[in-house]
Amino acid sequence: MKTGGSGKTISCAICHGDKLTGLGEVPRIAGLQPVYIARQLICMQNGSSAGKNAALMKKAVANLSEDDIISISAYVGQLPPR
Protein backbone atom coordinates (compact mmCIF):
# COMPACT_ATOMS: atom_id res chain seq x y z
CA MET A 1 0.00 0.00 0.00
CA LYS A 2 1.68 3.10 -1.19
CA THR A 3 -0.37 5.49 0.91
CA GLY A 4 -0.18 3.74 4.25
CA GLY A 5 -1.99 1.12 6.19
CA SER A 6 -4.76 2.94 8.05
CA GLY A 7 -2.71 2.91 11.23
CA LYS A 8 -2.12 -0.87 11.08
CA THR A 9 1.15 -0.75 9.19
CA ILE A 10 3.52 1.56 7.33
CA SER A 11 3.54 2.36 3.63
CA CYS A 12 5.15 -0.38 1.53
CA ALA A 13 6.80 2.37 -0.56
CA ILE A 14 9.06 3.36 2.34
CA CYS A 15 11.15 0.21 1.82
CA HIS A 16 10.06 -1.14 -1.59
CA GLY A 17 10.24 2.18 -3.49
CA ASP A 18 7.59 4.55 -4.85
CA LYS A 19 6.40 2.13 -7.54
CA LEU A 20 7.07 -0.94 -5.35
CA THR A 21 9.64 -2.10 -7.91
CA GLY A 22 12.37 -2.51 -5.32
CA LEU A 23 14.84 -0.21 -3.65
CA GLY A 24 18.45 -1.25 -3.17
CA GLU A 25 18.51 -4.73 -1.64
CA VAL A 26 14.77 -4.63 -0.93
CA PRO A 27 12.97 -6.67 -3.61
CA ARG A 28 10.19 -5.54 -5.87
CA ILE A 29 6.69 -6.59 -4.92
CA ALA A 30 4.83 -4.93 -7.79
CA GLY A 31 3.33 -7.42 -10.22
CA LEU A 32 4.00 -10.54 -8.17
CA GLN A 33 1.27 -13.16 -7.93
CA PRO A 34 -1.21 -12.22 -5.18
CA VAL A 35 -1.16 -15.75 -3.72
CA TYR A 36 2.64 -15.57 -3.42
CA ILE A 37 2.48 -12.15 -1.75
CA ALA A 38 -0.21 -13.30 0.70
CA ARG A 39 1.73 -16.43 1.59
CA GLN A 40 4.89 -14.40 2.23
CA LEU A 41 3.04 -11.90 4.43
CA ILE A 42 1.42 -14.68 6.45
CA CYS A 43 4.75 -16.49 6.89
CA MET A 44 6.40 -13.27 8.06
CA GLN A 45 3.49 -12.60 10.40
CA ASN A 46 3.51 -16.03 12.04
CA GLY A 47 7.30 -16.29 12.19
CA SER A 48 7.74 -19.25 9.84
CA SER A 49 9.79 -17.09 7.48
CA ALA A 50 13.29 -16.41 8.75
CA GLY A 51 16.14 -14.16 7.75
CA LYS A 52 17.08 -10.49 7.86
CA ASN A 53 14.30 -9.33 5.51
CA ALA A 54 11.64 -11.32 7.35
CA ALA A 55 12.75 -9.75 10.62
CA LEU A 56 12.41 -6.27 9.10
CA MET A 57 8.87 -7.08 7.95
CA LYS A 58 7.70 -8.60 11.26
CA LYS A 59 6.51 -5.31 12.74
CA ALA A 60 4.97 -4.14 9.44
CA VAL A 61 2.71 -7.22 9.20
CA ALA A 62 1.98 -7.75 12.90
CA ASN A 63 -1.43 -6.04 12.96
CA LEU A 64 -2.72 -7.07 9.53
CA SER A 65 -5.94 -9.08 9.35
CA GLU A 66 -6.57 -11.77 6.76
CA ASP A 67 -8.70 -9.26 4.82
CA ASP A 68 -5.86 -6.72 4.95
CA ILE A 69 -3.43 -9.29 3.55
CA ILE A 70 -5.84 -10.19 0.74
CA SER A 71 -6.38 -6.52 -0.13
CA ILE A 72 -2.66 -5.70 -0.10
CA SER A 73 -1.85 -8.79 -2.17
CA ALA A 74 -4.52 -7.98 -4.78
CA TYR A 75 -3.40 -4.36 -5.03
CA VAL A 76 0.32 -5.11 -5.30
CA GLY A 77 -0.28 -7.94 -7.76
CA GLN A 78 -2.06 -5.72 -10.28
CA LEU A 79 0.77 -3.15 -10.43
CA PRO A 80 3.19 -3.16 -13.37
CA PRO A 81 6.38 -5.05 -12.38
CA ARG A 82 8.74 -2.39 -13.76
Side-chain angles (χ1 to χ4, degrees):
M1 311 197 59
K2 292 174 62 171
T3 60
S6 302
K8 290 186 178 185
T9 190
I10 61 169
S11 169
C12 299
I14 291 171
C15 297
H16 292 278
D18 286 338
K19 295 183 181 180
L20 307 181
T21 56
L23 190 60
E25 291 184 22
V26 179
R28 80 170 168 91
I29 54 176
L32 295 177
Q33 291 292 321
V35 171
Y36 172 79
I37 295 167
R39 183 175 58 230
Q40 292 301 311
L41 293 174
I42 291 166
C43 287
M44 289 175 197
Q45 191 177 55
N46 69 23
S48 63
S49 183
K52 179 177 70 171
N53 291 336
L56 294 172
M57 286 289 298
K58 187 74 173 166
K59 189 172 183 179
V61 299
N63 297 321
L64 297 177
S65 69
E66 186 176 300
D67 286 342
D68 295 331
I69 290 173
I70 291 168
S71 295
I72 291 168
S73 299
Y75 171 74
V76 171
Q78 58 85 36
L79 295 173
R82 298 272 174 216

